Amino acid sequence: MSNAPLLSLLLTLVEAAATLAFALSGLLEAARKRLDAVGVCLVAGLAAFGGGTLRDVLLDRRPFFWVSHSEWLWALLAVCAGAMLFLRAHHFAPTERAMQWPDALGLGLFSASGTQLALAEGLPGIVAVLMGVITATFGGVLRDIVCNEVPTALRDHRPYAICAFAGSWALVLAQHAGMAAVPALVLGAACATGLRVLALLTGYTLPRWSSGDEP
Amino acid sequence: MSNAPLLSLLLTLVEAAATLAFALSGLLEAARKRLDAVGVCLVAGLAAFGGGTLRDVLLDRRPFFWVSHSEWLWALLAVCAGAMLFLRAHHFAPTERAMQWPDALGLGLFSASGTQLALAEGLPGIVAVLMGVITATFGGVLRDIVCNEVPTALRDHRPYAICAFAGSWALVLAQHAGMAAVPALVLGAACATGLRVLALLTGYTLPRWSSGDEP
Amino acid sequence: MSNAPLLSLLLTLVEAAATLAFALSGLLEAARKRLDAVGVCLVAGLAAFGGGTLRDVLLDRRPFFWVSHSEWLWALLAVCAGAMLFLRAHHFAPTERAMQWPDALGLGLFSASGTQLALAEGLPGIVAVLMGVITATFGGVLRDIVCNEVPTALRDHRPYAICAFAGSWALVLAQHAGMAAVPALVLGAACATGLRVLALLTGYTLPRWSSGDEP
């Protein structure tokens, strides 16, 4: 794989940006759920590090992102403290829609980095894609489970995990077609985030059960 | 342990059958919950691979079943796609009862394979039994948690985990009594599944709290 | 680190006491939820071993406490059986308040042991603190998730995880200040449990959202 140092730097940056994006989504959901200050930090942390940590446990990778870059735990605490002060000061009631944009960004970044890491370990394409999807979705799934909701990723019929699925496949196929790791990573992330944003803007929904009785 | 290759082949087949059985149960529950297509696949996958993967994480075994046999991920996707088309075509509303039979099969197969693997690692009997119970029940537990229900295994007073418990003990005691691994595996699986089927047919329920106010 | 054997013995005792305390809390919640006998044992086990096991998975420590001391699984079964007989005989309806005291004890003991173990692995202070908080809170979080509730640790505005947080920091700072491992461990545990008990007695609650609409 060409220029490994650049790739690993890029992976770190991507992971960091996605982490921040998901922390924000977890923070907003915890605020909507009116959890206490501790709950907000824990849910934000779970949303931020949950997907990546689960992926690392499954891939048996150590140390975790948040262990080798423990300054990110400080950053998370700072973000949560700042956001709670802001929310309180501005009587700002975060909406579910407000969570969608950081979520979409994190979705693309995490799915690409997860897939890339699995490919680098020589796992088969489908497993790499699954790792990408897990990395991208399980932060949010854990966030929703802890908040005692059916995870958005599974419930709302808007495409979510499927965007990560498509983006991860784009990355896998691009690399199999001989593209270098870095552009493939960018391609996969752009593809996943782009599809998600497109789905949000067009309001496209997945086909329902014919006997569907959803609202 | 005698005829290891036959045993490992048998373990693979057993794991595969149980995986399919649980995938089906997850798929039916996801359909009942009216999750979207992605949710159906993720819940089916969680039910199918969750218990075995948790066991492997606890035993620190790598690679996972679904990594070394990644064709099973394809099979899972195919099963989900096929089942969704079938359900849609037939306006078939899956009932909770429909889930019981694949569940009972998976219960026996997973508890036996989980216990066998733990014994093969030289763990004490009680730990091996616990691994069997975890393998057998946690796919379903995770399935129910994600679907935001109190897991059936803990809630309904019909014997479930306790069948896996009994079957696992049968396997452990049979091996301590000197029975070969393969017949012991079959014995344990048959015992667990048999007890579960018996419980379903007779409608036997575990004793309730004396102040029990269940329906 | 001075007198390692004494420390490891102490850690084992602390872990055992905390395990028992959390098992009791899980048992009481399962009883309140009217789970069946199996559910009671599984929830008690999850509450007892969940936090420590998650910590060990994250730290990649093997064998688990309940594998190397499998007699504790027997003890758990005995405790559950005894408690269920007791509850049934005495028509005793456990209250949420009844769970608070074992919980407070387990909170301190687990946060201290978790932090200590992470420090012994040379992890940075913030990660060690996080491990302490995870060890102390995730048994309860998993217990509540399985019982399909928003975890108490995140929801009720009474200080809980934050006591573990403070106690863990006390331990970390005491060791950085050169205190021996054993007194530091005792200090951390006492600090966390003391804060929790104080919070319970005074009924102090964390500041709410200004637009808070809690009961």
Side-chain angles (χ1 to χ4, degrees):
Chain A
M1 199 172 296
S2 70
N3 46 35
L6 170 55
L7 176 62
S8 72
L9 169 65
L10 186 62
L11 274 176
T12 305
L13 291 178
V14 160
E15 195 105 339
T19 300
L20 199 59
F22 271 114
L24 198 51
S25 79
L27 197 143
L28 292 175
E29 172 146 350
R32 277 177 42 240
K33 280 282 189 170
R34 322 214 63 77
L35 298 184
D36 58 31
V38 174
V40 169
C41 295
L42 281 181
V43 173
L46 206 54
F49 300 112
T53 303
L54 178 58
R55 176 203 62 213
D56 289 349
V57 167
L58 293 177
L59 293 178
D60 210 6
R61 289 177 71 240
R62 296 290 189 290
F64 296 126
F65 176 74
W66 47 271
V67 170
S68 50
H69 303 78
S70 60
E71 60 275 14
W72 275 96
L73 294 175
W74 288 111
L76 179 73
L77 284 176
V79 168
C80 290
M84 283 185 283
L85 292 175
F86 174 84
L87 289 178
R88 164 164 302 169
H90 294 257
H91 297 272
F92 171 58
T95 65
E96 192 158 325
R97 301 193 76 270
M99 285 171 46
Q100 290 176 342
W101 309 112
D103 221 58
L105 183 63
L107 182 75
L109 298 172
F110 266 144
S111 57
S113 70
T115 309
Q116 184 62 269
L117 284 164
L119 283 178
E121 303 224 344
L123 295 174
I126 176 89
V127 176
V129 167
L130 183 64
M131 288 297 170
V133 173
I134 286 176
T135 314
T137 56
F138 266 73
V141 167
L142 292 172
R143 175 196 67 206
D144 294 342
I145 287 177
V146 167
C147 291
N148 202 10
E149 288 185 348
V150 178
T152 331
L154 315 179
R155 177 170 41 79
D156 78 341
H157 287 246
R158 266 168 279 121
Y160 184 84
I162 210 166
C163 304
F165 191 74
S168 301
W169 272 119
L171 194 163
V172 169
L173 297 177
Q175 283 211 329
H176 280 300
M179 188 186 283
V182 174
L185 184 68
V186 175
L187 171 70
C191 174
T193 298
L195 282 171
R196 175 61 176 166
V197 168
L198 198 66
L200 289 175
L201 294 179
T202 61
Y204 170 80
T205 65
L206 297 171
R208 298 164 176 288
W209 303 102
S210 54
S211 52
D213 48 21
E214 304 260 353
Chain B
M1 198 172 298
S2 69
N3 46 35
L6 170 55
L7 175 63
S8 72
L9 169 65
L10 187 62
L11 274 177
T12 304
L13 291 179
V14 161
E15 194 105 340
T19 300
L20 199 58
F22 271 112
L24 198 50
S25 79
L27 196 143
L28 292 175
E29 171 146 350
R32 277 177 43 238
K33 280 281 190 169
R34 323 213 64 75
L35 297 184
D36 58 32
V38 173
V40 169
C41 294
L42 281 182
V43 173
L46 205 54
F49 299 113
T53 303
L54 177 58
R55 177 203 62 212
D56 289 351
V57 167
L58 293 176
L59 293 178
D60 210 6
R61 290 177 70 240
R62 296 289 190 290
F64 296 125
F65 176 75
W66 47 271
V67 170
S68 49
H69 303 77
S70 60
E71 60 275 14
W72 275 98
L73 294 175
W74 289 110
L76 178 72
L77 284 177
V79 168
C80 291
M84 283 186 283
L85 293 175
F86 174 83
L87 289 178
R88 163 165 302 169
H90 293 258
H91 297 272
F92 170 58
T95 66
E96 192 158 324
R97 302 193 75 270
M99 284 172 47
Q100 291 176 342
W101 309 111
D103 221 57
L105 183 62
L107 181 74
L109 298 171
F110 266 143
S111 57
S113 69
T115 309
Q116 184 63 267
L117 285 164
L119 283 178
E121 303 224 344
L123 294 175
I126 176 87
V127 175
V129 168
L130 183 63
M131 288 297 171
V133 173
I134 286 176
T135 313
T137 56
F138 267 72
V141 167
L142 291 172
R143 174 198 68 205
D144 294 343
I145 287 177
V146 166
C147 291
N148 202 10
E149 288 185 350
V150 178
T152 332
L154 314 180
R155 177 170 39 79
D156 79 340
H157 287 245
R158 265 169 280 119
Y160 185 84
I162 209 166
C163 304
F165 191 74
S168 301
W169 272 119
L171 194 164
V172 170
L173 297 177
Q175 282 211 330
H176 279 302
M179 189 186 281
V182 174
L185 184 69
V186 175
L187 171 71
C191 175
T193 299
L195 282 172
R196 175 61 177 167
V197 168
L198 198 67
L200 289 175
L201 295 178
T202 61
Y204 170 80
T205 65
L206 295 172
R208 298 165 175 287
W209 302 102
S210 54
S211 51
D213 48 23
E214 305 259 352
Chain C
M1 198 173 296
S2 69
N3 45 35
L6 170 55
L7 175 63
S8 72
L9 169 65
L10 186 61
L11 274 177
T12 304
L13 291 178
V14 160
E15 193 106 339
T19 300
L20 199 59
F22 271 113
L24 199 50
S25 78
L27 197 143
L28 292 174
E29 171 147 350
R32 279 177 43 239
K33 279 283 189 169
R34 322 213 65 77
L35 298 184
D36 58 31
V38 173
V40 169
C41 295
L42 281 181
V43 173
L46 206 54
F49 299 113
T53 303
L54 177 58
R55 176 203 62 211
D56 289 349
V57 167
L58 292 177
L59 292 178
D60 209 6
R61 290 177 70 239
R62 296 289 190 290
F64 295 126
F65 176 76
W66 46 270
V67 170
S68 50
H69 302 77
S70 60
E71 59 276 13
W72 275 96
L73 294 175
W74 289 110
L76 178 73
L77 283 177
V79 168
C80 291
M84 284 186 283
L85 293 174
F86 174 84
L87 289 178
R88 163 165 302 169
H90 294 258
H91 298 272
F92 171 57
T95 66
E96 191 158 326
R97 301 193 76 269
M99 284 171 46
Q100 290 175 343
W101 308 111
D103 221 57
L105 182 63
L107 181 75
L109 298 172
F110 265 145
S111 55
S113 70
T115 309
Q116 184 64 266
L117 284 164
L119 284 177
E121 303 223 344
L123 295 174
I126 176 90
V127 175
V129 167
L130 183 63
M131 287 297 171
V133 173
I134 286 175
T135 313
T137 56
F138 266 72
V141 166
L142 292 172
R143 175 196 68 206
D144 294 342
I145 287 176
V146 166
C147 291
N148 202 11
E149 288 185 350
V150 178
T152 331
L154 315 179
R155 177 171 39 78
D156 79 339
H157 286 247
R158 266 169 279 120
Y160 185 84
I162 209 166
C163 303
F165 191 74
S168 301
W169 272 119
L171 194 163
V172 169
L173 296 177
Q175 282 211 330
H176 280 301
M179 190 187 281
V182 174
L185 185 69
V186 175
L187 171 70
C191 175
T193 298
L195 282 172
R196 176 60 177 167
V197 169
L198 198 67
L200 289 174
L201 296 178
T202 61
Y204 171 80
T205 64
L206 296 172
R208 297 165 175 286
W209 302 101
S210 54
S211 53
D213 49 22
E214 306 260 350

